[in-house]
Amino acid sequence: MSSIDKANELLKSDPQQAEQIYKSVLSSNDSDDRDQEVALVKLGQIYADRKDAAALAEVVKSSRAFMSSTAKAKTAKLIRTLIDFFSLIPGSESTQKQVLEDNITWARQEKRIFLKQSLETRLVALDLQTQAYRPALALIETLLRELKRLDDKLILTEVHLLESRVYRGIGNFPKSKAALTSARTAANSIYCPPYLQAQLDLQSGVLHAEDKDYKTAYSYFFEVFENLSTNDDPGALAALKYMLLCKIMLNLPEDVTSLLQIKLAAKYVQLREVDSMRAVARAHQNRNLAEFELALKEYREELSTDPTIRSHLAALYDTLLEQNLLRIVEPYSVVDVDHVAEVVGQGRAQVEAKLSQMILDKILSGVLDQGRGCLIIFDPQEDDALYENAIKTVEQVGKVVDSLYAKASSGSSFVD
C-alpha cells in the first residue's frame, strides 16, 4: 500500500496522522508528481475542514516549488483548487487576498500570463465580495487592456461580468448595463459554459429589476433557476428567491405559493431562505405593516445580507407604509398626527416625514399643520374642463386669424 493510500484511509479516523503522511510525501524526493499533487489537495482539504486559513495559506506558498516543475495548465488548475478552499473558511478574506497577491507576483515573475490573469480575476471577485470597489475597478481596467490584446474571450466575458457587478455595487447602472452588454458580446463569439451563461442571465435579471421591469427580470431568473437547479448548483436558491421577490413586487404575492409547488422548487421549500420570502409575501398580501416588520426582524440574516433583496424590500416597505397611511387618514378631514402614528405603529417623526413626502409627490391632497400637530385633508377636486376647453378654443381662433392674415397678404401682393 502506498503512502497516499494509507493517508486516504486515515483521513476520517485520524486526520492528524494523515496530515503528517501527506507532508512527508511532499518533502520526499522519491515521490512522483501525481502523489505530490494529491497530497497538496488533501492537505488543503484538511485545513479547510479545520477552518485554518493560515495553514492553508502556507500550503499554497509551499506548493510553488512543486508547481515550478509542472506543466502550466496543471499548475493553474492546482492553485485555483487550493484557493477555492478559502471559501469554506468564514472570515478568511484578508488571508485569501494576501495569498492571491503573492501568487500573482509569483506568476508574473515566472511569466505565467494565463495563471496571473486567472488569479487577478479571482482577486476582483474577492474585492467585489468585500465591497472594495475602487481597487476592483483599477484591476479590471488593467485586465481588460491585456485580455483585449490577447483576445481571450472567456476570461474577457468573466471580467466584463465582474465589472458590471462592481458598477452596480456603486450605483452606476448605465455603466453596469454597458459592461454586461460587452460581456454578452464576448460570450456570443465563443462556447459559453452553462454556469457562466447563468451568471450573465442572473445579472441581466438584477438590472431589469432595478429598472422596475419585474416581468422581464422574472423570466431571466427562471432561466437561471432551471439551469442551476438541474445541475444541483447551490446558486439556484438565490435565483428562486429573486423569482419570489419579482412576484411580490408585481403585487402578485398569492402566486408565491403556486410557484413553490413546481417540481424544481420542491427541495427548497423547507429552507429558511424560502420561508423568509413566504413571510414577506404573506405580509404584503395582508397589507399588514406590523407583520412585514416582524418578518424583517425574524429573518434578518436571510433578507438583509443580499443587497438586491434588501433594496427592493426597502421600496416595498415604503409602499406598504403609504398604503397604510392612506387607509388610516381616508375617513378624516382633519386628523391628529400622533393618532396616525399610534395606529400605524411608527414614530411620530417618521410618519410626519412620510406624510410630507406623500403630499409633495401628490399622492395625498392635504397640508400638515405644524402648530396644531394635525393633518388637514382636502376634498378631492374634480377636474374643471372649462379652462382646458377655453385654451383649446383660443388656439383654434389663433390658427384661423393666422390663416386669414396669410390669405390677405397673398391677395395684397397679387393686386400690387
Side-chain angles (χ1 to χ4, degrees):
M1 180 183 293
S2 68
S3 299
I4 289 294
D5 292 335
K6 183 179 179 181
N8 289 342
E9 287 185 358
L10 292 170
L11 192 57
K12 291 185 178 179
S13 60
D14 191 356
Q16 291 184 345
Q17 181 64 26
E19 177 187 352
Q20 295 304 319
I21 295 174
Y22 289 133
K23 285 183 176 179
S24 66
V25 170
L26 288 174
S27 60
S28 174
N29 294 326
D30 298 331
S31 303
D32 61 22
D33 290 350
R34 176 60 183 165
D35 286 347
Q36 289 191 333
E37 182 182 345
V38 172
L40 279 171
V41 174
K42 291 295 184 181
L43 273 177
Q45 186 177 343
I46 289 172
Y47 295 138
D49 293 338
R50 287 185 195 168
K51 314 298 182 188
D52 191 343
L56 180 57
E58 191 60 35
V59 169
V60 177
K61 183 178 179 180
S62 62
S63 67
R64 292 178 195 162
F66 165 71
M67 289 188 289
S68 296
S69 59
T70 57
K72 291 184 178 181
K74 185 180 288 188
T75 299
K77 182 180 179 182
L78 179 59
I79 200 166
R80 284 199 302 267
T81 302
L82 290 173
I83 290 174
D84 281 341
F85 286 129
F86 280 103
S87 62
L88 304 175
I89 306 175
S92 64
E93 288 82 5
S94 59
T95 306
Q96 185 179 353
K97 184 171 184 177
Q98 186 61 51
V99 169
L100 282 168
E101 290 174 346
D102 291 345
N103 281 278
I104 288 169
T105 304
W106 174 78
R108 187 181 294 114
Q109 292 169 351
E110 293 286 321
K111 300 189 185 306
R112 302 194 175 204
I113 304 301
F114 175 77
L115 176 60
K116 181 185 79 73
Q117 292 171 346
S118 178
L119 293 175
E120 286 176 337
T121 304
R122 188 69 59 91
L123 182 57
V124 170
L126 183 61
D127 284 338
L128 174 62
Q129 181 184 336
T130 56
Q131 298 184 355
Y133 298 126
R134 184 171 294 179
L137 285 174
L139 188 53
I140 284 171
E141 186 178 351
T142 305
L143 261 174
L144 288 176
R145 279 200 303 267
E146 294 180 9
L147 292 170
K148 287 176 181 176
R149 187 169 62 248
L150 296 173
D151 200 31
D152 191 333
K153 298 291 187 183
L154 184 60
I155 300 184
L156 188 63
T157 303
E158 294 179 16
V159 174
H160 275 307
L161 177 58
L162 287 169
E163 182 186 19
S164 177
R165 289 175 174 169
V166 170
Y167 276 124
R168 186 231 168 202
I170 61 178
N172 192 332
F173 295 110
K175 285 194 174 182
S176 180
K177 292 175 185 176
L180 182 61
T181 302
S182 299
R184 286 196 173 278
T185 302
N188 287 338
S189 60
I190 57 167
Y191 166 73
C192 188
Y195 178 77
L196 183 55
Q197 183 62 52
Q199 296 307 306
L200 290 170
D201 289 339
L202 188 69
Q203 182 68 1
S204 295
V206 167
L207 292 179
H208 277 288
E210 293 290 351
D211 287 338
K212 313 299 182 188
D213 185 3
Y214 295 110
K215 286 186 177 180
T216 306
Y218 177 84
S219 65
Y220 275 113
F221 293 143
F222 189 77
E223 287 289 334
V224 175
F225 178 64
E226 278 192 323
N227 186 341
L228 297 181
S229 60
T230 51
N231 296 317
D232 291 326
D233 192 292
L237 179 59
L240 178 60
K241 286 175 68 176
Y242 292 159
M243 289 164 61
L244 298 175
L245 176 68
C246 287
K247 288 295 185 182
I248 294 169
M249 299 306 293
L250 284 167
N251 292 321
L252 298 171
E254 62 278 0
D255 287 359
V256 167
T257 303
S258 59
L259 178 58
L260 291 174
Q261 292 174 351
I262 64 176
K263 184 178 179 181
L264 290 174
K267 56 186 174 183
Y268 305 102
V269 171
Q270 302 302 324
L271 298 178
R272 271 186 65 84
E273 285 83 355
V274 175
D275 283 340
S276 66
M277 299 306 296
R278 194 187 285 117
V280 169
R282 188 163 50 247
H284 181 45
Q285 189 170 5
N286 297 336
R287 299 186 183 279
N288 190 321
L289 195 62
E291 191 177 343
F292 187 85
E293 289 180 332
L294 182 63
L296 292 179
K297 185 177 180 181
E298 185 177 351
Y299 298 99
R300 181 183 300 276
E301 185 177 347
E302 289 79 12
L303 297 176
S304 300
T305 52
D306 190 317
T308 300
I309 291 178
R310 185 173 63 244
S311 65
H312 289 289
L313 288 187
L316 182 62
Y317 179 83
D318 277 347
T319 303
L320 272 178
L321 181 57
E322 282 182 7
Q323 291 174 348
N324 276 263
L325 289 174
L326 287 172
R327 179 172 54 82
I328 292 166
V329 304
E330 186 179 9
Y332 301 97
S333 57
V334 179
V335 60
D336 193 74
V337 175
D338 286 328
H339 171 70
V340 176
E342 182 182 351
V343 174
V344 83
Q346 301 293 318
R348 176 193 168 95
Q350 184 181 357
V351 169
E352 202 170 74
K354 189 62 184 175
L355 288 171
S356 299
Q357 181 186 344
M358 291 168 66
I359 291 170
L360 290 173
D361 292 342
K362 298 184 179 180
I363 297 172
L364 178 65
S365 178
V367 65
L368 280 167
D369 189 332
Q370 297 281 357
R372 295 164 57 192
C374 63
L375 171 69
I376 302 171
I377 301 160
F378 301 146
D379 292 330
Q381 295 181 350
E382 295 182 2
D383 292 335
D384 188 358
L386 181 62
Y387 176 75
E388 291 185 4
N389 291 336
I391 291 294
K392 290 179 181 178
T393 303
V394 170
E395 288 178 355
Q396 295 300 324
V397 170
K399 291 179 181 178
V400 170
V401 171
D402 290 342
S403 176
L404 290 173
Y405 178 77
K407 289 181 178 179
S409 298
S410 61
S412 175
S413 299
F414 181 75
V415 171
D416 293 340

